[in-house]
Amino acid sequence: MKFNDIKDLYEFIFKVEGKYIKLKNREIFTFKDELSLNFFKMSYTSLLKNFVYPIILFALLYLFCEAIKERYVSIYTSYAAKTTIRVHEGDSAVWLQENYDDTHWGLQLPKAPYFAWMRMRINLDSNQVAGRMLGLGLWAYTGSYDLYWDGVHIGSNGIPGIGSEEVPGQIDKIFSIPDSLLTVGQHLIAMRASQQFSKSLSTKPYVIIEEYEAQIKYLIIVAAFIHILTGVFLIISIYYFFIYFKSYRQIVFFIFAIICLLLFAGSFLHYFKFYYKYPYPFHLIRRISLEAIIMFLGISLSAYFLFLYKIKQSRIFLTVIAIVFAVSFLAFNPNGINQKSYLLYKEVVLISLMITIWALVKAKEYSRSSLYSLIAPFTILFFLELYFFNLMMYISFFIFIIFNLYTLSKTMGVQKKEREKYLIESNRLKLELLKKNIQPHFIMNTLASLISWVEEAPIIAVKFIEALAAEFRILVDIAEQDKIPVAKEIKLCESHLKVMSYRHEVDYQLKCIDLDPSLTIPPAIFLTLLENGITHNESEMNKIIFELQLEKSFDGMTYRFFSPSIVEYDDEPVKDGTGMKYIKARLRETFADAWSIESFKKNNGWEIKINLLR
Amino acid sequence: MKILIVEDEKRIAYQLEKLIRQILGKEISRLNVCQTLNAARNYILSNTIDVLFLDLNLKGYDGFTLLQEMVAGSFHTIIVSAYTDKAILAFEYGVLDFVAKPFNKERLEQAIARCQNIQTHTNYFTKHLAIRKHGKIEMIDIKDINYIQAAGHYSELHLTNGKKELHNKSIDKLLTLLPSNFERIHRSYAVEMNKIERIQRYPGSKYEIILKDHTVLPCSRLKFKELNEKLR
């Protein structure tokens, strides 16, 4: 069975099953050309790549998180969730007694500064007690305290006190519980605590009872693991700073370096507390810094994507996004410990994802690999409230970075090619510029009219030759330059007009309005406009005045060139003739994407606007 | 002689006009200069001319669109241009001569001599003949021409596919442009030598030429001798 074209194959497939089926017999696939086979695959693969694969990736990551979530919870149970911490302000020796009835005590910590007692009861079963050295971990409590186990003082964290009497304790502390006190049954943990610093922050401790050694080990393992990522973020950041400053001066590389630097700072600031126990007043500074880091991460990510996709008006979008982040950072003040960083993180991921999906719809380059890179950060949005969220956040951003390294290496390849093309183009333009006025037909036409002048009026002929020499002198002077002062360009235009005036016996003039002679532009841009204007001029007038005007605006400037009495064109004068091609190539070479050119009919002539963005 | 100059540069047009007047003097019955394409078109529509001096790069437009239009006319076209690299192409389209800029009087004299003398085959490059058909220009490959028949001031091109097309130039003017394998066989007929099968001789000095596609054309007595030698 043979198929001569793709249509036959389609028909076959749809006849057999009414849907796509795999054809195992290889003989069936004898296509006339391979292109059509690729096309056949395309429609399916683009669907797969844009929708199915991302969803599969998301599902896998989600299931993975679900799985390790369970494991995490079993290893690291927060006792705080199971027991009730009761609080009472003040100080009394009675409150450490085991049989004191605290049921009338409140559940909330008073507003700092305070001096208060906290009491909670826990149950130990025989499994927990049997021959193990248990530790009592009190986590993320912002205060100083003496700790009592069944009324026995087993340790202190700082010295609780009123006002400046207090010596601040560490943010986390793990106490070993003496063997003699470890019995099966109910126990009372009492804390004589005070918080005199960090007045806007008051949190009850997370209470963890687990093997002492395991608790210590766990922290070191997590910190060590995270610090591998921290190191990676730092190295990538340094590497991209080098790339930006030394080879490819592309804003995306700079922003990417910033993103990695922020991730480095974030992961370090987050996890150094696992081995360095700072005094609790520093906790507030650390938390605000972390929130600020997430905020800046959001702004840089948005900037990164906006510039990567080369979205127009990216500055405006970025300003709006930055305001959104700044407002959520400054205004939103929730009660929970991590609420603000959660909110900021949600914003980071959702805004980046929105930009990327929009880019994907618009079929922007690199949007697909960016979509893949955002799936991991997106997945863990669903695990926001879990204890292991922070850890997963850095892992997911590590995955994000890996995907984007791929994207950026692709852009570097593209840029290398572009740069090579640019060099060739640049040389070609230099040649073009010289050719422009030294090309045979220009010289031949000029000589033809010169002969006439020599015969008729030798004095004018001499002036004509002088004007021609002046034009050539300037041309040779600027031929090798990429940019020349406007003043020089105007001089070139004027000498050309002089030559053309002798040739055509028309008084050509260039009227310059508000020009800034110190600005620079690529050579022969206005000259080319003038040449076009002269060539397409159909009027029989003896005097023709071209106008060149500079208008400055808040986002750049515009050169308006007015060429009178062009009647030939009905609609579009700026066809891509060699002249226009030259202008566009020069502008692209000098201003990259920050320019545009437009033209329209105006007062019995044509106006051409060259807009240069800042 | 009625002359039209199409040249956008006043100085050159002036020089051209001056030299042509010097060369032809009183032979000129009318001489006009058009600066633009449209002016030239309009002028040709309402006036008859004998020779057109045409600048090939007119106001930045591709002069060849105009050229195709012009060579379909009844007059001879002489190109005066700085684009010497386009000369061969111009000849292929069937111009009488190509004068490079800058030009001098001698070169112009030569060109003008070509249109004055009824001298055949000055152009060896012509590959197409442009005809005007339903207001449009059509190019006919000269290989497709079987024979040419005079039709008053015009000529009829009889093509190998049996079709017949009218050309605005007279048979004399056409023969000036066509390569030397086109031979005049009669006052009203010209034929390409390769297309001739044989010559039939009748009593009373009557001759007929039989083409390969069995067309029979009259042949004048004077031409017979010449042809017979060439065919041998």
Side-chain angles (χ1 to χ4, degrees), chain A residues 441 444-445 449 452-453 455-456 503-505 535 537-538 542 568, chain B residues 9-12 14-15 18 36 38 59-61 82-83 101-102:
Chain A
H441 82 95
M444 296 305 177
N445 273 317
S449 47
S452 165
W453 280 116
E455 284 182 11
E456 300 281 317
R503 263 174 64 173
H504 291 182
E505 285 177 89
T535 316
N537 196 297
E538 292 262 316
N542 288 326
E568 268 295 316
Chain B
E9 295 202 23
K10 270 189 193 161
R11 247 308 120 178
I12 301 175
Y14 172 79
Q15 178 77 356
K18 189 178 92 180
T36 65
N38 280 340
K59 292 282 184 194
Y61 291 89
Y83 289 89
K101 279 184 192 169

